[in-house]
Amino acid sequence: IPGLETGIVKRRHIKYQPNLYLSGGAWNSGYFDNYKKELIEIYSPSQDEELAIQKHFGKLLKTKNLVAIHIRTYSPGHPYFIGLQYFKNAMDLFPDNFTFVIFSCRPSWVKKHLKGYKKNMIFIEGNDHIRDFFLINKCKHHIKIGRASCRERV
């Protein structure tokens, strides 16, 4: 939030209420410091979901140097699609021993255009968006665009 570091903008305490819905920018994680424990609990997978993730992706998740990439393409010509070159440039910043775990709203299109770009790429498809969310968060590194790119799916 512009001005926060200079003290012009002050943090406001947001009192918890059941079914609270927040909308708008929240770029400063400091707003959530008081609720960190509760937020981690809310956004952590259930025991059943964790078991399912380990069953299907346990071997992958033991791989060191995982990089999650979430590519939202929207539709051709959509102004929010940043283009594949952005993701390729970001991938080029990582050493060759990193594994890229790629998620997308259009997995077949992304696979067609990225296949073979790096030797260690795994395309994740067929999960619901909640499982994708948990898998993305289990990766140590992330390549994403600056704006919230999964707003429509969550």
Side-chain angles (χ1 to χ4, degrees), residues 42-46 49-50 53 57 103 126-138 150 153-154:
I42 290 168
Y43 290 104
S44 293
S46 67
E49 183 65 26
E50 185 63 41
I53 289 169
F57 300 100
F103 302 82
N127 296 316
D128 64 34
H129 62 280
I130 298 296
R131 183 158 298 163
D132 281 354
F133 173 79
F134 292 138
L135 284 170
I136 289 169
N137 283 297
K138 288 184 176 290
C150 57
R153 288 179 64 190
V154 176

Side-chain angles (χ1 to χ4, degrees), residues 139-151:
C139 295
K140 184 173 183 176
H141 308 281
H142 301 92
I143 297 173
K144 56 185 182 170
I145 63 172
R147 64 182 79 221
S149 61
C150 57
R151 168 180 21 207

Side-chain angles (χ1 to χ4, degrees), residues 8-75:
I8 296 170
V9 176
K10 304 282 186 211
R11 288 187 190 167
R12 288 187 309 155
H13 176 75
I14 300 171
K15 186 177 179 184
Y16 172 78
Q17 298 174 18
N19 300 315
L20 179 67
Y21 176 81
L22 300 176
S23 179
W27 297 282
N28 186 322
S29 62
Y31 280 111
F32 306 103
D33 287 346
N34 294 336
Y35 307 103
K36 184 175 182 176
K37 182 178 173 186
E38 291 86 353
L39 289 169
I40 289 172
E41 187 176 321
I42 290 168
Y43 290 104
S44 293
S46 67
Q47 251 184 340
D48 290 343
E49 183 65 26
E50 185 63 41
L51 288 172
I53 289 169
Q54 290 305 320
K55 179 180 176 183
H56 293 98
F57 300 100
K59 185 177 177 183
L60 171 65
L61 294 173
K62 288 179 184 172
T63 305
K64 291 186 178 184
N65 303 323
L66 289 180
V67 182
I69 304 175
H70 187 217
I71 302 175
R72 285 293 301 239
T73 62
Y74 301 93
S75 57

